[in-house]
Amino acid sequence: MKILKKYRHYYPILLALILLLVLNGSAAAAYFRSNLSDFVKTEGQITVPIFVPTEQFAIKTESQAILISNENDKIELNQGQNYFISQAELELAEAPVTKTKKSVWGVQVVASSDLKKAEALKVELTNQFEQAKELDFEILKEADLYKLVVGSYEQRQKAEALQEELESAGFKGWPRQFVKEIITEPAESAVSKNGDLNKLRVKKDVNLAAGSKSLKLYNLKAEKLKEAYTFKLKGDFQIAGRKMSGQYSFGPLAKSVLFSYKTDLEELTAYLLQKYCKAETDPKALQAQAIIYRTNLLYQLEVKGARLTNLIDVNFGLLKTVFKKAAAATEGEVLTKSNEFYYNSDFSLKQIKKPKAGLIALAKTDYDYQGMINYYYRRSKIENLNELLDSEQTVEARIKRGLKFREIRQLSWSGPRVLTILDLDLNSDNLKLKPVLAQGKTIGKEDLRSLIKKHSALAGVNGSYFDGQGTPLGLVYLEGELVSEPLYKRSSLLIGPQNQIAFAQVDWSGKIVIGQAEKSIAIDGINRKARAGELIVFNHYYGAQMPPLAAGELDLIVRNQNFLGLETETGKSSPIPANGFVLRIPAVESLQKKLKPQILAAQAQKFSLEHSFEPDFKQKNILSALGGGPQLLKAGKIEITGQAENFQADILTGRAPRTAVALTADNHLLLLTIDGRQSDLSVGMTLRELAKTLQEMGAVSAINLDGGGSARMVIRNFTMSNPSEKRLISNGILVGEEAEEKDED
């Protein structure tokens, strides 16, 4: 016997529970292998590096750009400014100095063996010669003499002109040529204009710690503007000499920075069409090539994972409509063969290259894009990624004769899925299916495990919809008594004697019959808050007492079909007879003028409550029923009635945790839960995916039940599914023992 690690801490009890356990290691298909499986589980984002990762990137904005950190902080980058992104700590670099020697002309005014005399003359000349502040002074040492030279010119004539000015001021000298050392520093404006990384440098003695994975944004002054794990840059800018437009990402990679474009399979397919095809290419040829590129990309993802380093030369930016349309027309379509992607058997689909020239020729004939694909890839077939599935049954266990538990793990293009199934053989005479109400009342919620324990059941799932207080939203009919009326004629589970099961969209009307059906009072609902002008009946499932009477309201109290009286006292909470009911009459003057005399005049007669159902519960001998919806399967075909049953979009659309109940052709009842909202474990299902899954399991009719955080399966007090949250529920569907189990072979 083998038991999954998931249940290791349940060993002592599960060993008693599970008499038979089968692990099925074979899978029906093998589409999503290794890296491709990881890619699917991380929600399908593709990272395409734009450049080879480097220590830091210099950015120059061409318009106002927005930098967004992973903390969702937004920083506006000014137009025409330079910024730097690095993992390292940066500082201003010392300006590079250029030293050169050059032959120039000047005026020598003294030659002395005493350095102090030469320096003293320099001070005197500086103080007395008016133009001295604009002149260069050099003290040259030649042989044993110190020579003071004034001026630095490329031409002798300028030195001669200076000689005359000096003599006029009383300083005798003569022109001469000498070698001068020229020191040149770069202009600040030149550095700013070019965004030269030499302006900043990594700080000395500051090493990047092995565990430090954060990026820093700097300006040209080496001021750190922001530090975060990742950045997104949106706008028009230049980086590494290349103009970029759109939204790109920066992230840490080892001690470098990865500059990349985040995309998905469909957008990247369109970009490949734009790179390799002409816009005037026939749309049919583009559509065929889109399928080929999409299949190519699956191979790249399988081999390299979600970072496609071999696509660095793709130019991301403005994507032309013609290529987007071609990709959208074939969205999700790929080539497969024998439950694998076709690239496993065709080397040409492992390479991304220019289109086949023949596609354009075929497009001029009567071939559509499917025909073109079939012409070149005869052994393949076109399938949609969203319909491909790797599925494995990981557990099959008998809980009791006639009741089995199964766990199935799947991987679809949308992500992983975990299904748990209770399979009840309705032909078995030892088990009973029954809906139950939390706390036995219409207001209140309870844990599913508590419900199973209270009713001594073997297993169960959550049931129908309810409001914040736990009041059912739809049909609840328990052992021949109506607890909550149907809502919008929604699909319901109907249970008859000996586990006879049916599904139907149920309608209802109710009335209080007075006497020999001579008079009656139509009612609007059971055990719920009244809307304006409604007549609502309350029975013992509501509780022991009515809500307090508001001013002007009346309560008609009936026990054993006998009139007990009319309660009129404001604030009074009328008792609800265990074998009777209370009719709450609203404070509507016209209604009370009509009903009050009629009730008082008939107080000696019988008051009976009658319900009419469509389909007829009496005729079909329905003992219990529970509303849900929408319908998923009818007569073996997918038929989802969400709009007809007035369901909101949050139930009808998107993938979510789900619970469903279904009937198979061989009279088995399937109670199914699908975990969801957990991207690493299970993403849930759409209603159509749920219907198709049940159909493939052999179901011929099925309805959806409450899902989301309510979706849960419990067996013997252990939760076998993986709920997305902890939630108390209003009602559930349980499987229990009807009688002592017979001897087994």
Side-chain angles (χ1 to χ4, degrees):
M1 179 183 292
K2 298 180 181 178
I3 296 181
L4 290 182
K5 292 180 180 178
K6 172 182 174 183
Y7 307 118
R8 180 173 293 167
H9 51 298
Y10 299 155
Y11 277 2
I13 298 174
L14 285 176
L15 286 173
L17 164 67
I18 301 177
L19 302 179
L20 175 65
L21 182 65
V22 177
L23 287 179
N24 184 353
S26 62
Y31 295 109
F32 307 111
R33 301 170 174 172
S34 57
N35 282 332
L36 195 53
S37 172
D38 293 338
F39 170 74
V40 168
K41 291 178 181 178
T42 53
E43 303 180 345
Q45 277 286 302
I46 301 172
T47 300
V48 184
I50 307 301
F51 303 107
V52 175
T54 186
E55 279 191 352
Q56 56 251 345
F57 280 103
I59 305 161
K60 183 177 181 181
T61 56
E62 293 196 341
S63 61
Q64 191 176 64
I66 303 294
L67 193 79
I68 308 168
S69 74
N70 60 290
E71 301 159 346
N72 210 30
D73 290 337
K74 296 181 180 180
I75 302 170
E76 293 185 358
L77 304 185
N78 295 326
Q79 182 176 353
Q81 297 297 307
N82 293 279
Y83 300 90
F84 304 89
I85 292 179
S86 175
Q87 281 201 70
E89 296 285 342
L90 301 182
E91 65 180 359
L92 282 173
E94 295 178 358
V97 175
T98 303
K99 295 182 179 181
T100 57
K101 291 185 178 181
K102 188 176 183 181
S103 180
V104 295
W105 286 90
V107 179
Q108 182 174 316
V109 293
V110 72
S112 173
S113 59
D114 190 344
L115 175 60
K116 290 183 179 180
K117 286 185 177 180
E119 290 175 342
L121 183 58
K122 177 182 175 182
V123 173
E124 182 182 349
L125 197 151
T126 302
N127 292 334
Q128 296 184 20
F129 187 60
E130 189 173 338
Q131 295 90 342
K133 294 179 181 179
E134 302 172 4
L135 298 174
D136 292 335
F137 290 83
E138 292 280 345
I139 297 179
L140 307 175
K141 185 177 181 184
E142 296 177 350
D144 294 331
L145 297 175
Y146 295 96
K147 301 175 181 179
L148 177 62
V149 180
V150 182
S152 175
Y153 306 109
E154 293 184 3
Q155 299 174 349
R156 178 184 174 93
Q157 289 86 341
K158 290 187 177 181
E160 290 174 345
L162 177 60
Q163 176 192 9
E164 293 178 1
E165 292 176 6
L166 287 168
E167 287 183 353
S168 298
F171 296 95
K172 186 174 177 60
W174 56 95
R176 62 157 293 179
Q177 201 171 21
F178 65 97
V179 176
K180 181 179 178 66
E181 187 175 66
I182 307 296
I183 298 175
T184 306
E185 296 185 7
E188 177 70 24
S189 59
V191 176
S192 300
K193 181 179 179 181
N194 297 324
D196 190 352
L197 269 174
N198 290 329
K199 183 68 178 173
L200 304 182
R201 69 179 182 190
V202 177
K203 284 185 179 180
K204 294 179 180 179
D205 302 323
V206 177
N207 295 321
L208 188 63
S212 173
K213 294 287 184 181
S214 64
L215 303 181
K216 291 96 175 172
L217 173 70
Y218 295 92
N219 60 16
L220 266 178
K221 297 179 181 179
E223 294 171 334
K224 188 191 299 182
L225 304 180
K226 181 66 181 176
E227 182 170 353
Y229 180 71
T230 60
F231 290 123
K232 291 179 183 177
L233 180 59
K234 187 176 182 179
D236 300 317
F237 55 93
Q238 290 185 33
I239 183 167
R242 183 167 160 183
K243 290 187 176 182
M244 312 296 293
S245 181
Q247 181 170 293
Y248 295 80
S249 299
F250 295 90
L253 181 64
K255 294 185 178 182
S256 298
V257 179
L258 175 67
F259 175 62
S260 60
Y261 184 77
K262 298 282 187 181
T263 184
D264 58 34
L265 186 66
E266 295 306 317
E267 186 182 55
L268 189 50
T269 298
Y271 270 117
L272 288 177
L273 290 175
Q274 182 166 278
K275 175 177 174 58
Y276 291 111
C277 304
K278 295 180 180 179
E280 59 269 22
T281 302
D282 189 290
K284 293 184 294 183
L286 290 177
Q287 291 163 11
Q289 191 60 41
I291 295 175
I292 295 170
Y293 281 151
R294 195 177 289 113
T295 310
N296 290 151
L297 286 171
L298 289 177
Y299 176 75
Q300 306 303 319
L301 291 167
E302 183 173 298
V303 173
K304 299 180 179 296
R307 187 180 299 147
L308 300 185
T309 54
N310 59 334
L311 295 179
I312 285 179
D313 59 339
V314 175
N315 186 17
F316 297 99
L318 182 63
L319 184 57
K320 293 182 179 178
T321 302
V322 63
F323 303 114
K324 287 195 287 187
K325 283 185 176 179
T330 62
E331 182 176 356
E333 293 185 359
V334 294
L335 298 183
T336 68
K337 177 190 175 186
S338 303
N339 289 330
E340 294 183 333
F341 293 121
Y342 190 60
Y343 58 68
N344 290 326
S345 56
D346 191 306
F347 183 77
S348 68
L349 288 188
K350 297 178 182 180
Q351 297 176 325
I352 296 174
K353 53 188 178 182
K354 292 182 179 180
K356 288 181 177 293
L359 289 177
I360 297 175
L362 287 176
K364 296 178 181 178
T365 66
D366 293 333
Y367 281 91
D368 57 15
Y369 75 87
Q370 293 97 335
M372 297 179 196
I373 290 292
N374 292 333
Y375 182 88
Y376 281 108
Y377 301 98
R378 297 183 187 278
R379 295 174 298 158
S380 71
K381 63 179 179 177
I382 299 173
E383 293 195 76
N384 195 294
L385 275 171
N386 295 315
E387 297 175 359
L388 301 180
L389 194 69
D390 289 353
S391 185
E392 180 181 8
Q393 179 171 292
T394 51
V395 178
E396 181 177 354
R398 198 191 75 164
I399 301 166
K400 201 77 173 178
R401 178 170 60 87
L403 183 63
K404 290 182 179 180
F405 165 74
R406 285 184 285 153
E407 180 186 83
I408 296 174
R409 294 192 174 236
Q410 299 178 337
L411 188 60
S412 69
W413 183 247
S414 58
R417 306 192 298 215
V418 178
L419 292 70
T420 46
I421 304 107
L422 278 172
D423 185 333
L424 172 63
D425 184 354
L426 296 172
N427 302 304
S428 180
D429 59 359
N430 64 312
L431 298 174
K432 181 180 180 181
L433 183 75
K434 63 176 182 179
V436 296
L437 193 63
Q439 300 181 21
K441 298 188 298 183
T442 56
I443 295 181
K445 294 181 282 187
E446 199 168 344
D447 186 84
L448 178 59
R449 289 189 301 180
S450 172
L451 282 170
I452 288 174
K453 184 177 181 180
K454 182 186 297 183
H455 291 271
S456 301
L458 296 169
V461 298
N462 63 291
S464 68
Y465 306 95
F466 54 94
D467 67 14
Q469 290 184 303
T471 303
L473 298 174
L475 175 63
V476 179
Y477 185 74
L478 302 180
E479 298 177 349
E481 190 165 6
L482 185 59
V483 178
S484 174
E485 81 273 12
L487 180 66
Y488 302 125
K489 299 182 182 180
R490 287 178 173 172
S491 296
S492 301
L493 166 68
L494 310 182
I495 305 172
Q498 288 79 49
N499 284 338
Q500 294 176 353
I501 299 297
F503 298 104
Q505 290 177 276
V506 178
D507 198 7
W508 164 88
S509 63
K511 61 184 178 180
I512 297 172
V513 177
I514 303 174
Q516 300 299 315
E518 297 172 359
K519 297 179 181 180
S520 65
I521 302 170
I523 61 174
D524 299 295
I526 304 289
N527 294 323
R528 64 169 173 81
K529 186 177 180 179
R531 292 181 283 269
E534 285 188 325
L535 289 166
I536 305 298
V537 164
F538 294 80
N539 59 31
H540 67 95
Y541 278 108
Y542 182 81
Q545 290 184 310
M546 292 286 291
L549 277 168
E553 290 182 334
L554 304 175
D555 278 346
L556 163 64
I557 305 172
V558 175
R559 182 177 64 195
N560 291 330
Q561 298 188 355
N562 295 317
F563 174 77
L564 294 186
L566 278 176
E567 180 61 66
T568 61
E569 184 181 343
T570 301
K572 186 70 179 288
S573 295
S574 304
I576 302 175
N579 52 354
F581 61 86
V582 176
L583 173 67
R584 174 63 55 89
I585 303 172
V588 177
E589 186 176 357
S590 59
L591 185 61
Q592 292 196 6
K593 279 185 177 181
K594 174 185 175 182
L595 293 180
K596 191 172 180 180
Q598 180 178 328
I599 292 168
L600 292 175
Q603 56 185 304
Q605 301 184 53
K606 296 293 184 181
F607 286 72
S608 59
L609 186 59
E610 290 189 3
H611 302 292
S612 296
F613 293 97
E614 177 58 42
D616 192 325
F617 279 16
K618 288 182 180 179
Q619 183 183 36
K620 292 184 174 294
N621 199 13
I622 302 302
L623 303 179
S624 296
L626 189 68
Q631 173 185 276
L632 301 172
L633 295 173
K634 184 177 182 180
K637 296 181 179 180
I638 295 176
E639 190 173 324
I640 299 171
T641 56
Q643 291 184 340
E645 296 183 18
N646 201 27
F647 277 100
Q648 294 178 325
D650 62 338
I651 291 175
L652 298 182
T653 60
R655 292 182 177 85
R658 305 276 184 184
T659 302
V661 56
L663 186 65
T664 68
D666 58 352
N667 204 32
H668 280 239
L669 188 84
L670 304 179
L671 295 170
L672 178 76
T673 61
I674 298 96
D675 299 321
R677 297 172 184 163
Q678 302 168 76
S679 60
D680 58 336
L681 175 72
S682 184
V683 296
M685 284 188 183
T686 65
L687 288 179
R688 184 158 293 278
E689 288 169 342
L690 176 56
K692 185 177 180 182
T693 298
L694 290 166
Q695 186 184 52
E696 291 171 350
M697 289 180 178
V700 293
S701 54
I703 65 170
N704 184 56
L705 296 173
D706 190 15
S710 299
R712 187 180 178 192
M713 178 181 292
V714 172
I715 300 175
R716 304 271 200 190
N717 206 36
F718 293 101
T719 300
M720 307 304 284
S721 59
N722 303 276
S724 60
E725 61 179 274
K726 293 182 179 179
R727 183 183 290 182
L728 302 180
I729 58 174
S730 162
N731 56 83
I733 301 175
L734 308 187
V735 180
E737 297 178 89
E738 186 165 48
E740 186 175 346
E741 189 172 356
K742 297 178 181 180
D743 293 338
E744 301 175 44
D745 295 335

